[in-house]
């Protein structure tokens, strides 16, 4: 692998932070930086109506703030995209390429080179009191990388989930000490995060701004709702989008074609159940948001606090006859919800294309700090239409970590093949792709002029998939091989540049181009 330099380590002594008090001048911001509550859910889609259960969230954050309708992940998989949120870096720059320690997830290198430059470290140095509760990175707490005793740099109050999302029978590292939770009703992780958040806010004194990250497990597998929410969505079925369980033709990449398409009817009730239980798990998150909101209101902190609500990646259930997962370059998997409310943000719907890598710059903007990243502050998007943005999506396919089970015939290059899902494999080592996703908005009606995606797989066909979302919302027809040769060539060139970009080069294609002198593009 040829790597770009990882972000240079930053220590309090070596910091070269330019603390610019509202140099941008466009935020009607308070004199001390505002507080931030960032909520990151796990696997919550936006295209399959994943926000429907979030009634309070839509009401308290959505309708009072900005709703971003075109937010894309840097990588449609947990650990790499969480790394992008934390660092403002695309995968090729933060080098967390999969969910394993070997792939950088919570690895010693991550701890050494990336944790010193996350938004937490930077905001802490700028005077924030910082709090984290819930899932961090999939391999967090693994004994090979320091166990529960490792508290990532930048966090004053740390309650990190050890390992991947769970609802019961898990451990948290509370300020570096492992605490075990069982399976009684009061151990439900989302509720435990809620209680920790309440304790933190109650102990907050007004002389210091706070940054709070709440990262509940919902709606990730094993899809366990809180007892009080069991069966709340009885009768709800997986959304039958036009691309739900359709036969897959030669125009899709090999993994999607492999195995039965459509899926046998016996699988469909299982997909319906997963869909419904995912919604049920989200009800506790919606309560968490409301409780935190109401407590801040009670304490007169609401007008001084930004809420940012997003997810680490999207999800598909049955689209193109793929059972249930992320890890595909389709809209279901790469689109996530993004809501921001707070001082100076008017109720609005923003269709400009934005990315998970922008959250970092947005938090720094709120804190009045400058530090390089691959993204841009989202306050820009709320002001500067027209917008033309190309964002990058990178995914590296994982091979099977376990010996393939004999119940599904497969080799170790194939992954996530489940008997109860007709042995459709959901990942493979060569399910590796990079895409550019372009959204350009034209006023006055903000209808997108360009709204497309172009992907190349790193497999032995160098397979191309491309869609014009303006005319083919459900991605039924791959135009990668039918478009004009010159156009395909331009797409390829742009993708190649984006796949190597760093810092403001990654804003290639935006209308900030001239402002930042991105002359080499
Ligand atoms: C927020 O509200 C409190 C109490 O109403 C007030 O004292 C404070 O000045 C307000 N802050 C901002 C930034 O508007
Ligand atoms: C964790 O550490 C912070 C900062 O020292 C402290 O305020 C907080 O009370 C601790 N939390 C717990 C649960 O011990
Ligand atoms: C939690 O662990 C206990 C003891 O191992 C087990 O009986 C129970 O089924 C588990 N519960 C859940 C919800 O995982
Ligand atoms: C989990 O629940 C089961 C049955 O409901 C019980 O037998 C077991 O002791 C519980 N385990 C823990 C770790 O709380
Ligand atoms: C949902 O269905 C289950 C099983 O069919 C039933 O036991 C439960 O009472 C139903 N719940 C609601 C809220 O309708
Ligand atoms: C994760 O990435 C690393 C580094 O490229 C690789 O060695 C490892 O095999 C990958 N893990 C899986 C499960 O594919
Ligand atoms: C991808 O890898 C699988 C498993 O090793 C292999 O069977 C398949 O032919 C490969 N496909 C492409 C397009 O490279
Ligand atoms: C951009 O580049 C031009 C010429 O290369 C230079 O004259 C100008 O000052 C630069 N602008 C900024 C903002 O750096």
């Amino acid at each position: 692998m040829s790597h770009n330099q990882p972000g240079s380590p930053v220590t309090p002594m070596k910091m070269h932070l330019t603390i610019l008090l509202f140099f941008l001048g466009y935020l009607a911001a308070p004199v001390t930086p505002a507080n931030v509550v960032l909520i990151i859910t796990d696997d919550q889609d936006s295209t399959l109506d994943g926000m429907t259960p979030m009634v309070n969230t839509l009401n308290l954050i959505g309708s009072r703030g900005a709703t971003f309708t075109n937010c894309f992940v840097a990588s449609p998989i947990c650990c790499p995209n969480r790394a992008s949120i934390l660092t403002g870096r695309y995968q090729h720059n933060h080098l967390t390429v999969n969910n394993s320690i070997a792939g950088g997830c919570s690895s010693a290198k991550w701890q050494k080179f990336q944790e010193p430059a996350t938004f937490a470290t930077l905001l802490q140095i700028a005077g924030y009191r910082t709090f984290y509760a819930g899932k961090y990175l999939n391999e967090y707490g693994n004994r090979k990388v320091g166990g529960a005793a490792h508290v990532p740099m930048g966090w004053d109050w740390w309650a990190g989930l050890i390992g991947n999302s769970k609802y019961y029978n898990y451990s948290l590292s509370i300020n570096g000490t492992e605490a075990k939770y069982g399976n009684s009703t009061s151990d439900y992780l989302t509720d435990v995060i809620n209680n920790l958040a309440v304790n933190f806010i109650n102990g907050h004194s007004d002389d210091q701004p706070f940054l709070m990250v709440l990262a509940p497990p919902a709606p990730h597998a094993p899809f366990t709702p809180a007892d009080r929410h069991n069966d709340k969505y009885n009768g709800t079925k997986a959304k039958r989008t036009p691309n739900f369980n359709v036969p897959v033709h030669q125009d899709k990449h090999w993994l999607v074609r492999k195995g039965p398409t459509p899926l046998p009817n016996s699988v469909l009730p299982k997909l319906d159940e997963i869909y419904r239980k995912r919604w049920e798990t989200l009800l506790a998150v919606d309560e968490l948001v409301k409780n935190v909101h109401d407590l801040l209101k009670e304490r007169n902190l609401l007008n001084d606090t930004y809420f940012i609500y997003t997810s680490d990646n999207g999800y598909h259930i049955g689209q193109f006859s793929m059972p249930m997962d992320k890890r595909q370059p389709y809209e279901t998997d790469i689109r996530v919800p993004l809501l921001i409310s707070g001082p100076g943000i008017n109720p609005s719907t923003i269709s400009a294309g934005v990315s998970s890598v922008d959250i970092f710059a947005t938090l720094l903007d709120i804190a009045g700090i400058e530090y390089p990243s691959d993204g841009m502050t989202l306050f820009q998007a709320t002001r500067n239409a027209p917008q033309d943005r190309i964002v990058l999506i990178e995914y590296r396919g994982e091979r099977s970590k376990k010996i393939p089970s004999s119940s599904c015939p497969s080799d170790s290059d194939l992954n996530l093949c489940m008997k109860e899902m007709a042995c459709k494999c959901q990942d493979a080592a060569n399910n590796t792709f990079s895409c550019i996703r372009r959204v350009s908005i034209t006023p006055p009606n903000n209808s997108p002029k360009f709204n497309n995606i172009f992907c190349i797989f790193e497999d032995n066909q160098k397979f191309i998939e491309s869609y014009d979302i303006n005319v083919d919302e459900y991605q039924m027809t791959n135009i990668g091989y039918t478009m004009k040769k010159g156009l395909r060539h331009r797409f390829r060139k742009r993708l190649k540049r984006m796949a190597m970009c760093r810092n403001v080069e990654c804003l290639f294609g935006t209308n900030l181009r001239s402002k930042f002198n991105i002359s080499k593009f």
Side-chain angles (χ1 to χ4, degrees):
M1 261 190 307
S2 87
H3 292 153
N4 284 353
Q5 281 296 103
S8 36
V10 180
T11 64
M13 292 87 72
K14 280 204 285 180
M15 285 281 314
H16 292 292
L17 273 192
T18 325
I19 308 217
L20 299 162
L21 282 178
F22 314 116
F23 91 108
L24 298 167
Y26 41 61
L27 273 178
V31 178
T32 52
N35 308 308
V36 179
V37 180
L38 169 62
I39 302 129
I40 306 170
T41 52
D42 196 348
D43 284 1
Q44 186 173 14
D45 64 272
S46 72
T47 61
L48 301 181
D49 301 337
M51 284 300 281
T52 300
M54 310 304 293
V55 174
N56 290 304
T57 306
L58 290 171
N59 199 14
L60 300 172
I61 306 179
S63 63
R64 293 185 193 177
T67 300
F68 290 81
T69 56
N70 283 309
C71 180
F72 301 97
V73 294
S75 184
I77 184 75
C78 304
C79 203
N81 203 54
R82 282 168 187 258
S84 288
I85 292 173
L86 286 159
T87 61
R89 293 291 179 196
Y90 283 119
Q91 177 172 293
H92 64 272
N93 287 329
H94 64 55
L95 305 177
T96 295
V97 300
N98 61 35
N99 285 343
S100 321
I101 295 174
C105 184
S106 213
S107 66
K109 269 196 177 151
W110 162 268
Q111 294 174 7
K112 185 164 176 217
F113 295 111
Q114 306 297 338
E115 283 179 348
T118 64
F119 61 71
T121 305
L122 299 172
L123 265 64
Q124 190 186 52
I125 291 167
Y128 274 73
R129 198 160 129 76
T130 59
F131 168 93
Y132 196 104
K135 174 171 165 182
Y136 179 58
L137 301 171
N138 300 44
E139 288 290 351
Y140 171 73
N142 192 310
R143 280 197 201 98
K144 289 182 206 148
V145 288
H150 172 74
V151 175
M153 194 183 282
W155 302 102
D156 293 314
W157 187 329
W158 175 253
L161 175 66
I162 303 211
N164 201 359
S165 280
K166 277 183 158 190
Y167 299 83
Y168 291 106
N169 289 347
Y170 57 88
S171 290
L172 298 179
S173 161
I174 305 278
N175 288 342
T177 305
E178 180 168 354
K180 291 192 157 132
Y181 294 80
N183 63 351
S184 62
T185 301
S186 64
D187 292 320
Y188 191 67
L189 177 55
T190 306
D191 295 346
V192 168
I193 292 170
N194 184 102
N195 296 341
L196 288 162
V198 167
N199 291 344
F200 176 75
I201 295 167
N202 282 335
H204 168 73
S205 65
D206 292 341
D207 54 5
Q208 211 185 354
F210 68 78
L211 161 72
M212 191 168 176
V213 179
L214 307 173
H220 195 277
F223 323 112
T224 314
D227 290 343
R228 63 187 181 281
H229 297 136
N230 266 327
D231 301 327
K232 282 278 183 210
Y233 285 109
N234 263 7
T236 298
K237 285 186 161 31
K239 191 174 183 184
R240 266 44 175 187
T241 53
N243 53 10
F244 181 85
N245 209 22
V246 289
V248 177
H249 305 296
Q250 294 302 314
D251 72 330
K252 293 276 181 302
H253 68 107
W254 77 279
L255 183 64
V256 177
R257 292 200 311 263
K258 188 182 151 56
T261 80
L263 294 163
N265 284 338
S266 61
V267 171
L268 302 189
K270 290 172 199 150
L271 300 186
D272 290 336
E273 191 191 357
I274 287 165
Y275 186 91
R276 151 177 98 79
K277 289 180 86 182
R278 278 166 53 84
W279 276 21
E280 288 167 0
T281 65
L282 285 165
L283 292 171
V285 180
D286 196 44
E287 292 173 357
L288 161 68
V289 171
K290 180 170 165 43
N291 290 341
V292 168
H293 172 276
D294 290 357
L295 183 58
L296 292 174
K297 186 172 181 182
E298 200 182 299
R299 300 213 33 185
N300 264 332
L301 290 167
L302 207 52
N303 62 352
D304 214 7
T305 302
Y306 287 96
F307 277 87
I308 304 181
Y309 185 96
T310 193
S311 169
D312 61 357
N313 49 254
Y315 210 68
H316 59 256
I317 302 183
Q319 283 63 42
F320 305 118
S321 303
M322 294 293 274
M324 28 77 82
D325 197 45
K326 47 267 182 175
R327 300 177 168 89
Q328 294 300 326
Y330 306 120
E331 296 288 283
T332 42
D333 299 26
I334 63 174
R335 265 179 193 277
V336 283
L338 178 65
L339 308 174
I340 306 186
S341 68
I345 299 193
N346 297 323
S348 48
T349 300
I350 293 167
S351 42
V354 302
S355 162
S356 297
V357 295
D358 297 336
I359 289 170
F360 176 91
T362 306
L363 296 179
L364 268 58
D365 191 352
I366 292 169
I369 311 168
E370 275 211 326
Y371 196 80
S373 77
D374 298 339
M376 61 186 257
T377 170
L378 293 168
F379 293 112
Q380 206 92 47
T382 64
R383 279 181 305 272
N384 274 5
Q387 278 284 334
D388 188 357
R389 179 87 183 268
I390 294 173
V391 299
L392 176 69
I393 295 138
E394 296 169 291
Y395 179 71
R396 184 147 336 155
E398 287 184 289
R399 42 175 59 81
S400 186
K401 283 173 213 164
K402 300 178 206 108
I403 298 141
S405 81
S406 53
S407 54
C408 289
S410 70
D411 62 54
S412 64
D413 277 345
L414 288 162
N415 194 12
L416 303 173
C417 318
M418 284 175 288
K419 179 129 190 156
E420 66 274 23
M421 295 293 167
C423 286
K424 273 271 332 174
C425 297
Q426 316 223 51
D427 201 9
N430 59 8
N431 178 40
T432 292
F433 53 82
S434 348
C435 312
I436 41 174
R437 181 76 179 83
R438 183 176 188 187
V439 178
S440 81
I441 303 300
T442 326
N445 61 0
N446 283 349
S447 62
K449 187 170 171 211
F450 297 105
N451 187 8
N452 54 45
I453 187 163
F454 182 88
C455 307
I456 302 184
F457 285 78
E458 276 179 45
D459 58 18
N460 53 32
Q461 299 175 329
K462 302 272 174 262
F463 200 77
I464 298 175
E465 286 195 42
S466 180
Y467 301 91
D468 182 351
I469 308 296
N470 270 342
V471 298
D472 184 16
E473 184 185 348
Y474 293 100
Q475 302 178 289
M476 305 298 277
T477 308
N478 177 10
I479 56 169
Y481 293 100
T482 53
M483 68 175 65
K484 289 212 172 83
K485 211 173 148 195
L487 181 58
R488 186 163 58 240
H489 180 68
R490 284 200 297 281
F491 269 123
R492 268 185 196 284
K493 252 172 78 178
R494 282 181 177 168
L495 174 54
K496 205 169 160 191
R497 283 173 189 156
M498 281 298 284
M500 297 187 309
C501 75
R502 187 170 180 84
N503 298 335
V504 310
E505 296 162 4
C506 301
L507 301 180
F508 160 64
T510 66
N511 58 352
L512 300 176
R513 195 171 161 179
S514 54
K515 183 175 164 189
F516 288 114
N517 258 355
I518 313 177
S519 52
K520 71 169 144 168
F521 289 115

